[in-house]
Coordinates of all heavy atoms in Angstrom, one line a residue:
M21 N 85.5 153.3 81.1 CA 84.3 152.7 80.5 C 83.4 152.3 81.6 O 83.8 151.5 82.6 CB 84.7 151.4 79.6 CG 85.5 151.8 78.4 SD 85.8 150.4 77.3 CE 87.5 149.9 78.0
P22 N 82.1 152.6 81.5 CA 81.2 152.1 82.4 C 81.1 150.7 82.6 O 81.0 149.9 81.5 CB 79.8 152.7 82.0 CG 80.1 153.2 80.6 CD 81.6 153.4 80.3
G23 N 81.0 150.2 83.8 CA 81.0 148.7 84.0 C 82.2 147.9 83.8 O 82.2 146.6 83.9
V24 N 83.3 148.5 83.6 CA 84.7 147.9 83.5 C 85.7 148.4 84.5 O 85.6 149.7 84.8 CB 85.3 148.1 82.1 CG1 86.5 147.4 81.9 CG2 84.2 147.7 81.1
K25 N 86.3 147.5 85.2 CA 87.3 148.0 86.2 C 88.6 147.2 86.1 O 88.6 146.0 85.8 CB 86.6 147.7 87.6 CG 87.6 148.3 88.7 CD 86.8 148.0 90.1 CE 87.7 148.5 91.2 NZ 87.2 148.3 92.5
V26 N 89.7 147.9 86.2 CA 91.0 147.3 86.2 C 91.6 147.3 87.6 O 91.6 148.3 88.2 CB 91.9 148.0 85.2 CG1 93.3 147.4 85.3 CG2 91.5 148.1 83.8
Q27 N 92.0 146.2 88.1 CA 92.5 146.1 89.5 C 93.8 145.2 89.6 O 93.9 144.3 88.9 CB 91.4 145.8 90.4 CG 91.0 144.3 90.3 CD 90.1 143.9 91.3 OE1 89.3 144.7 91.8 NE2 90.0 142.6 91.7
V28 N 94.6 145.6 90.6 CA 95.9 144.9 90.9 C 95.5 143.9 91.9 O 94.8 144.1 92.9 CB 96.9 145.9 91.4 CG1 98.1 145.1 91.7 CG2 97.1 147.0 90.4
T29 N 96.0 142.6 91.7 CA 95.7 141.6 92.7 C 96.9 141.3 93.6 O 97.9 142.0 93.5 CB 95.4 140.3 91.9 OG1 96.6 139.7 91.3 CG2 94.4 140.5 91.0
E30 N 96.8 140.4 94.5 CA 97.9 140.1 95.5 C 99.1 139.5 94.7 O 100.2 139.3 95.3 CB 97.3 139.1 96.5 CG 97.0 137.8 96.0 CD 95.8 137.6 95.4 OE1 94.9 138.5 95.2 OE2 95.5 136.6 94.8
K31 N 99.0 139.1 93.5 CA 100.1 138.6 92.7 C 101.2 139.5 92.4 O 102.3 139.1 92.0 CB 99.6 137.8 91.4 CG 98.7 136.8 91.5 CD 98.3 136.3 90.2 CE 97.2 135.2 90.2 NZ 96.7 135.0 88.8
C32 N 100.9 140.8 92.5 CA 101.8 141.9 92.3 C 103.1 141.8 93.1 O 103.1 141.5 94.3 CB 101.3 143.3 92.4 SG 102.4 144.7 92.2
I33 N 104.3 141.8 92.4 CA 105.6 141.7 93.2 C 106.3 143.0 93.0 O 107.4 143.2 93.6 CB 106.4 140.6 92.6 CG1 106.8 140.9 91.1 CG2 105.8 139.2 92.8 CD1 107.8 139.9 90.6
G34 N 105.7 144.1 92.5 CA 106.2 145.4 92.6 C 107.4 145.6 91.6 O 108.3 146.4 91.8
C35 N 107.4 144.9 90.5 CA 108.6 144.9 89.6 C 108.6 146.2 88.7 O 109.8 146.7 88.3 CB 108.5 143.7 88.6 SG 107.1 143.7 87.4
G36 N 107.5 146.9 88.7 CA 107.5 148.2 88.0 C 107.3 148.2 86.5 O 107.3 149.2 85.8
T37 N 107.2 147.0 85.9 CA 107.1 146.8 84.4 C 105.8 147.7 84.0 O 105.8 148.4 83.0 CB 106.8 145.4 84.1 OG1 108.1 144.7 84.5 CG2 106.7 145.2 82.6
C38 N 104.8 147.7 84.6 CA 103.6 148.3 84.3 C 103.6 149.9 84.4 O 102.6 150.5 83.9 CB 102.3 147.8 85.1 SG 102.5 148.0 86.8
I39 N 104.6 150.4 85.0 CA 104.7 151.9 85.1 C 105.6 152.5 84.1 O 105.8 153.7 84.1 CB 105.0 152.3 86.5 CG1 106.4 151.9 87.0 CG2 104.0 151.9 87.5 CD1 106.9 152.5 88.2
K40 N 106.2 151.6 83.2 CA 107.3 152.2 82.3 C 106.7 152.4 81.0 O 106.9 151.8 80.0 CB 108.4 151.1 82.2 CG 109.1 150.8 83.5 CD 110.2 149.7 83.4 CE 110.7 149.5 84.8 NZ 111.4 148.1 84.8
G41 N 105.8 153.4 80.9 CA 105.3 154.0 79.6 C 104.3 153.0 79.0 O 103.9 153.3 77.9
V42 N 103.8 152.2 79.8 CA 102.7 151.3 79.3 C 101.3 151.9 79.2 O 100.6 151.8 78.3 CB 102.7 150.0 80.1 CG1 101.5 149.1 79.7 CG2 103.9 149.2 80.1
C43 N 101.1 152.7 80.2 CA 99.7 153.3 80.5 C 99.6 154.6 79.7 O 100.5 155.5 79.9 CB 99.4 153.5 82.0 SG 97.9 154.3 82.2
F44 N 98.7 154.8 78.8 CA 98.5 156.0 78.1 C 98.3 157.3 78.9 O 98.6 158.3 78.5 CB 97.3 156.0 77.1 CG 97.5 154.9 76.0 CD1 96.7 153.8 75.9 CD2 98.5 155.1 75.0 CE1 96.8 152.8 74.9 CE2 98.7 154.2 74.0 CZ 97.9 153.1 74.0
V45 N 97.6 157.1 80.0 CA 97.2 158.2 80.9 C 98.1 158.3 82.2 O 97.7 158.9 83.2 CB 95.7 158.2 81.2 CG1 95.0 158.5 79.9 CG2 95.3 157.0 81.8
N46 N 99.2 157.4 82.3 CA 100.1 157.4 83.5 C 99.1 157.1 84.8 O 99.3 157.8 85.8 CB 100.8 158.6 83.7 CG 101.9 158.8 82.5 OD1 102.6 157.7 82.1 ND2 102.0 159.8 82.0
A47 N 98.4 156.1 84.7 CA 97.4 155.9 85.8 C 97.9 155.0 86.8 O 97.3 154.7 87.9 CB 96.0 155.4 85.4
I48 N 99.2 154.4 86.6 CA 99.7 153.4 87.6 C 101.0 154.0 88.3 O 101.8 154.6 87.6 CB 100.1 152.2 86.8 CG1 98.8 151.6 85.9 CG2 100.5 151.0 87.9 CD1 99.3 150.4 85.2
D49 N 101.1 153.8 89.5 CA 102.3 154.1 90.4 C 102.5 153.0 91.1 O 101.8 152.0 91.4 CB 102.0 155.4 91.2 CG 102.0 156.7 90.5 OD1 102.9 156.8 89.6 OD2 101.1 157.5 90.7
L50 N 103.8 152.9 91.6 CA 104.3 151.9 92.7 C 104.1 152.6 94.0 O 104.6 153.7 94.3 CB 105.7 151.5 92.4 CG 105.9 150.4 91.4 CD1 107.3 149.9 91.5 CD2 105.0 149.2 91.6
I51 N 103.3 151.9 95.0 CA 103.2 152.5 96.3 C 103.3 151.3 97.2 O 102.6 150.3 97.1 CB 101.8 153.2 96.5 CG1 101.6 154.3 95.6 CG2 101.5 153.5 97.9 CD1 100.2 155.1 95.7
N52 N 104.3 151.5 98.1 CA 104.7 150.4 99.0 C 105.0 149.1 98.3 O 104.6 148.0 98.6 CB 103.7 150.1 100.0 CG 103.4 151.4 100.9 OD1 104.4 152.0 101.3 ND2 102.4 151.6 101.3
N53 N 105.8 149.3 97.1 CA 106.2 148.1 96.3 C 105.0 147.3 95.7 O 105.1 146.1 95.5 CB 107.1 147.1 97.1 CG 108.5 147.8 97.2 OD1 109.0 148.6 96.4 ND2 109.1 147.6 98.4
K54 N 104.0 148.0 95.5 CA 102.8 147.4 94.9 C 102.2 148.4 93.8 O 102.1 149.6 94.1 CB 101.7 146.9 95.8 CG 100.7 146.0 95.1 CD 99.8 145.4 96.2 CE 98.7 144.6 95.5 NZ 97.9 143.9 96.3
A55 N 101.8 147.8 92.7 CA 101.1 148.8 91.6 C 99.9 149.3 92.2 O 99.0 148.6 92.9 CB 100.9 147.9 90.3
F56 N 99.6 150.5 91.9 CA 98.4 151.2 92.4 C 97.8 151.9 91.1 O 98.5 152.7 90.5 CB 98.6 152.2 93.4 CG 97.5 153.0 93.9 CD1 96.5 152.6 94.6 CD2 97.2 154.3 93.3 CE1 95.3 153.3 95.0 CE2 96.2 155.0 93.7 CZ 95.1 154.6 94.4
I57 N 96.5 151.6 90.9 CA 95.9 152.2 89.6 C 95.0 153.3 90.2 O 94.1 153.1 91.0 CB 95.1 151.1 89.0 CG1 96.1 150.0 88.4 CG2 94.3 151.8 87.7 CD1 95.3 148.9 87.8
S58 N 95.2 154.5 89.7 CA 94.4 155.6 90.1 C 93.0 155.9 89.3 O 92.8 155.0 88.3 CB 95.3 156.9 89.9 OG 95.2 157.3 88.5
N59 N 92.4 156.8 89.7 CA 91.0 157.1 89.1 C 91.3 157.5 87.6 O 90.3 157.8 86.9 CB 90.2 158.1 89.9 CG 89.7 157.5 91.1 OD1 89.5 156.3 91.2 ND2 89.5 158.4 92.1
E60 N 92.5 157.9 87.3 CA 92.7 158.3 85.8 C 92.6 157.2 84.9 O 92.6 157.4 83.7 CB 94.1 158.9 85.8 CG 94.4 160.1 86.6 CD 93.4 161.3 86.1 OE1 93.3 161.4 85.0 OE2 92.9 161.9 87.0
C61 N 92.6 156.0 85.4 CA 92.6 154.7 84.5 C 91.3 154.8 83.5 O 90.3 155.1 84.0 CB 92.4 153.5 85.3 SG 92.2 151.9 84.5
R62 N 91.6 154.5 82.3 CA 90.5 154.5 81.3 C 90.3 153.0 80.8 O 89.6 152.9 79.8 CB 90.9 155.4 80.1 CG 90.8 156.8 80.5 CD 89.5 157.3 80.9 NE 89.6 158.7 81.5 CZ 89.8 159.0 82.7 NH1 89.7 158.1 83.7 NH2 89.7 160.3 83.1
E63 N 90.8 152.2 81.5 CA 90.5 150.7 81.2 C 91.0 150.2 79.8 O 90.2 149.4 79.2 CB 89.0 150.4 81.4 CG 88.5 150.5 82.8 CD 88.1 152.0 83.2 OE1 87.8 152.8 82.2 OE2 88.1 152.3 84.3
Y64 N 92.1 150.8 79.3 CA 92.5 150.3 78.1 C 93.0 148.8 78.1 O 92.9 148.0 77.2 CB 93.7 151.2 77.5 CG 93.3 152.6 77.3 CD1 93.9 153.6 77.8 CD2 92.4 152.8 76.2 CE1 93.5 154.9 77.6 CE2 92.0 154.2 75.9 CZ 92.6 155.2 76.6 OH 92.2 156.4 76.2
G65 N 93.6 148.5 79.2 CA 94.0 147.1 79.5 C 95.5 146.7 79.0 O 95.8 145.5 79.1
R66 N 96.2 147.7 78.6 CA 97.6 147.4 78.2 C 98.4 146.8 79.4 O 99.3 146.0 79.2 CB 98.3 148.7 77.7 CG 97.7 149.2 76.4 CD 98.4 150.3 75.8 NE 99.6 149.9 75.3 CZ 100.7 150.8 75.1 NH1 100.6 152.0 75.5 NH2 101.8 150.4 74.6
C67 N 98.2 147.4 80.6 CA 98.9 146.9 81.7 C 98.6 145.5 82.1 O 99.4 144.7 82.6 CB 98.5 147.8 82.9 SG 96.9 147.8 83.3
V68 N 97.4 145.0 81.7 CA 97.0 143.7 82.0 C 97.8 142.8 81.1 O 98.4 141.6 81.6 CB 95.6 143.4 81.6 CG1 95.0 142.0 81.7 CG2 94.6 144.2 82.5
E69 N 98.0 143.1 79.8 CA 98.8 142.4 78.9 C 100.3 142.3 79.2 O 100.9 141.3 79.0 CB 98.7 142.9 77.4 CG 97.3 142.8 76.9 CD 97.3 143.4 75.5 OE1 98.4 143.7 74.9 OE2 96.2 143.8 75.1
I70 N 100.8 143.4 79.8 CA 102.3 143.5 79.9 C 102.8 142.8 81.3 O 104.0 142.5 81.5 CB 102.6 145.0 79.9 CG1 104.3 145.1 79.5 CG2 102.4 145.7 81.1 CD1 104.4 145.0 78.1
C71 N 101.9 142.7 82.3 CA 102.4 142.3 83.5 C 102.9 140.8 83.5 O 102.0 140.0 83.2 CB 101.2 142.4 84.5 SG 101.6 141.6 86.2
P72 N 104.2 140.6 83.9 CA 104.7 139.2 83.8 C 104.2 138.4 84.8 O 104.2 137.1 84.7 CB 106.1 139.5 84.0 CG 106.2 140.7 84.7 CD 105.1 141.6 84.2
Q73 N 103.5 138.9 85.8 CA 103.0 138.1 86.9 C 101.5 137.8 86.8 O 100.8 137.1 87.6 CB 103.1 138.8 88.3 CG 104.6 139.0 88.6 CD 105.3 137.7 88.8 OE1 104.9 136.8 89.4 NE2 106.6 137.6 88.3
K74 N 100.9 138.4 85.7 CA 99.3 138.3 85.5 C 98.7 138.8 86.7 O 97.6 138.2 87.2 CB 99.0 136.7 85.2 CG 99.6 136.1 84.1 CD 99.2 136.6 82.8 CE 99.8 135.8 81.6 NZ 100.3 136.7 80.6
A75 N 99.1 139.9 87.2 CA 98.7 140.5 88.5 C 97.6 141.5 88.3 O 97.0 142.0 89.3 CB 99.8 141.0 89.3
I76 N 97.3 141.9 87.2 CA 96.3 142.9 86.8 C 95.2 142.3 86.1 O 95.4 141.5 85.2 CB 96.9 144.1 86.1 CG1 98.1 144.7 86.8 CG2 95.8 145.2 86.0 CD1 98.8 145.7 86.1
E77 N 94.0 142.6 86.5 CA 92.9 141.9 85.9 C 91.8 142.9 85.5 O 91.7 144.0 86.2 CB 92.3 140.9 86.8 CG 91.8 141.2 88.0 CD 91.4 140.1 89.0 OE1 91.9 139.0 88.7 OE2 90.7 140.4 89.9
I78 N 91.0 142.7 84.4 CA 89.9 143.4 84.1 C 88.5 142.8 84.6 O 88.4 141.6 84.3 CB 89.8 143.7 82.5 CG1 91.0 144.4 82.0 CG2 88.5 144.4 82.3 CD1 91.1 144.7 80.6
L79 N 87.8 143.6 85.3 CA 86.6 143.0 85.8 C 85.4 143.6 84.9 O 85.4 144.8 84.7 CB 86.4 143.4 87.3 CG 87.4 142.8 88.2 CD1 87.1 143.2 89.5 CD2 87.4 141.3 88.1
F80 N 84.5 142.8 84.5 CA 83.3 143.3 83.7 C 82.1 143.2 84.7 O 81.7 142.0 84.9 CB 83.1 142.6 82.4 CG 84.2 142.8 81.4 CD1 85.2 141.9 81.3 CD2 84.2 143.8 80.5 CE1 86.2 142.1 80.3 CE2 85.2 144.1 79.6 CZ 86.1 143.2 79.5
E81 N 81.6 144.3 85.2 CA 80.4 144.3 86.1 C 79.2 143.9 85.4 O 78.3 143.2 85.9 CB 80.2 145.6 86.8 CG 81.4 145.9 87.6 CD 81.5 147.4 88.1 OE1 80.6 148.2 87.5 OE2 82.4 147.8 88.9
D82 N 79.2 144.2 84.1 CA 78.0 143.7 83.3 C 78.5 142.5 82.4 O 79.3 142.6 81.5 CB 77.5 144.9 82.3 CG 76.4 144.5 81.5 OD1 76.0 143.3 81.4 OD2 75.9 145.4 80.8
V83 N 77.9 141.4 82.6 CA 78.4 140.1 82.0 C 78.1 140.2 80.5 O 78.6 139.5 79.7 CB 77.6 138.9 82.5 CG1 78.1 138.7 83.9 CG2 76.1 139.0 82.4
N84 N 77.2 141.1 80.0 CA 76.9 141.3 78.5 C 77.6 142.3 77.9 O 77.4 142.8 76.8 CB 75.4 141.5 78.4 CG 74.6 140.4 78.8 OD1 74.9 139.3 78.4 ND2 73.5 140.5 79.7
Y85 N 78.6 142.9 78.7 CA 79.4 144.1 78.2 C 80.1 143.8 76.8 O 79.9 144.7 76.0 CB 80.4 144.6 79.2 CG 81.2 145.7 78.8 CD1 80.7 147.0 78.9 CD2 82.5 145.7 78.1 CE1 81.5 148.1 78.4 CE2 83.1 146.7 77.7 CZ 82.6 147.9 77.8 OH 83.3 149.0 77.3
V86 N 80.8 142.8 76.7 CA 81.4 142.5 75.5 C 80.5 142.3 74.3 O 80.7 142.9 73.3 CB 82.3 141.2 75.6 CG1 83.0 140.8 74.3 CG2 83.4 141.4 76.6
K87 N 79.4 141.6 74.6 CA 78.3 141.4 73.6 C 77.7 142.7 73.1 O 77.6 143.0 71.9 CB 77.3 140.4 74.1 CG 76.2 140.2 73.1 CD 75.2 139.2 73.7 CE 74.0 139.0 72.7 NZ 72.8 138.6 73.2
K88 N 77.5 143.5 74.1 CA 76.8 144.9 73.8 C 77.9 145.6 72.9 O 77.4 146.4 72.0 CB 76.5 145.6 75.1 CG 75.3 145.1 75.8 CD 75.1 145.9 77.0 CE 74.0 145.3 77.9 NZ 73.9 146.0 79.1
S89 N 79.2 145.7 73.4 CA 80.2 146.4 72.6 C 80.2 146.0 71.1 O 80.4 146.8 70.3 CB 81.6 146.2 73.3 OG 81.5 146.8 74.6
I90 N 80.2 144.6 71.0 CA 80.2 144.2 69.5 C 79.0 144.6 68.8 O 79.3 145.0 67.6 CB 80.4 142.6 69.7 CG1 81.7 142.2 70.3 CG2 80.2 142.0 68.2 CD1 81.9 140.8 70.4
E91 N 77.9 144.6 69.4 CA 76.7 145.0 68.7 C 76.9 146.6 68.4 O 76.4 147.0 67.2 CB 75.5 144.8 69.6 CG 75.1 143.3 69.7 CD 74.1 143.0 70.7 OE1 73.6 143.9 71.5 OE2 73.7 141.9 70.8
E92 N 77.4 147.3 69.2 CA 77.4 148.8 69.1 C 78.4 149.0 67.8 O 78.1 149.8 66.9 CB 78.0 149.5 70.1 CG 77.0 149.8 71.3 CD 77.5 150.6 72.5 OE1 78.4 151.4 72.2 OE2 77.0 150.4 73.5
I93 N 79.5 148.3 67.8 CA 80.5 148.5 66.8 C 79.9 148.0 65.5 O 80.1 148.7 64.4 CB 81.8 147.7 67.1 CG1 82.5 148.4 68.3 CG2 82.7 147.7 65.9 CD1 83.7 147.6 68.9
D94 N 79.2 146.9 65.5 CA 78.6 146.3 64.3 C 77.6 147.3 63.7 O 77.4 147.4 62.5 CB 77.9 145.0 64.8 CG 77.5 144.2 63.3 OD1 78.4 144.2 62.5 OD2 76.4 143.6 63.4
N95 N 76.9 148.2 64.6 CA 75.9 149.1 64.1 C 76.6 150.3 63.4 O 75.9 150.9 62.6 CB 75.1 149.6 65.2 CG 74.0 148.5 65.6 OD1 73.7 147.7 64.8 ND2 73.7 148.6 66.9
I96 N 77.8 150.6 63.7 CA 78.5 151.8 63.1 C 79.5 151.5 62.0 O 80.0 152.5 61.4 CB 79.1 152.7 64.3 CG1 80.1 152.0 65.0 CG2 78.0 153.2 65.1 CD1 80.8 152.8 66.0
I97 N 79.9 150.2 61.9 CA 80.8 150.0 60.9 C 80.3 149.0 59.9 O 79.6 148.0 60.2 CB 82.1 149.2 61.6 CG1 82.8 150.1 62.5 CG2 83.1 148.6 60.5 CD1 84.0 149.5 63.3
D98 N 80.4 149.2 58.6 CA 80.0 148.5 57.4 C 81.2 147.8 56.8 O 82.0 148.5 56.2 CB 79.2 149.4 56.5 CG 78.7 148.6 55.4 OD1 78.4 147.4 55.6 OD2 78.4 149.1 54.3
I99 N 81.3 146.6 57.1 CA 82.4 145.7 56.4 C 81.8 145.1 55.2 O 81.0 144.3 55.2 CB 83.0 144.8 57.4 CG1 83.5 145.5 58.6 CG2 84.1 144.0 56.7 CD1 84.0 144.5 59.7
A100 N 82.3 145.5 53.9 CA 81.9 145.0 52.8 C 82.7 143.8 52.4 O 83.8 143.6 52.7 CB 81.9 146.0 51.6
Ligands
LIG451 S1 103.9 144.6 86.1 FE1 102.6 143.3 87.4 S2 104.0 142.5 89.1 FE2 105.1 144.2 88.2 S3 104.4 146.1 89.3 FE3 102.9 146.0 87.7 S4 101.2 144.7 88.5 FE4 103.0 144.5 89.8

């Protein structure tokens, strides 16, 4: 997604939880006992939720990204 980035922080202990079928596109590997996220990442964020160390974070380069996304969804979905 444009303006969204998933990254591994120094909190990673290399437990491997995030590489066990969590990622839809297999974008995570362990390299030198630390999670590495490749360019295949589509920013779904499942790895962020599953990491027991809270070592993966999502960065929003556009501070209005969430608001814009909600507005886009609101324009295409009619909830009666
Ligand atoms: S689940 Fe978290 S601590 Fe474990 S390897 Fe992945 S990023 Fe590192």
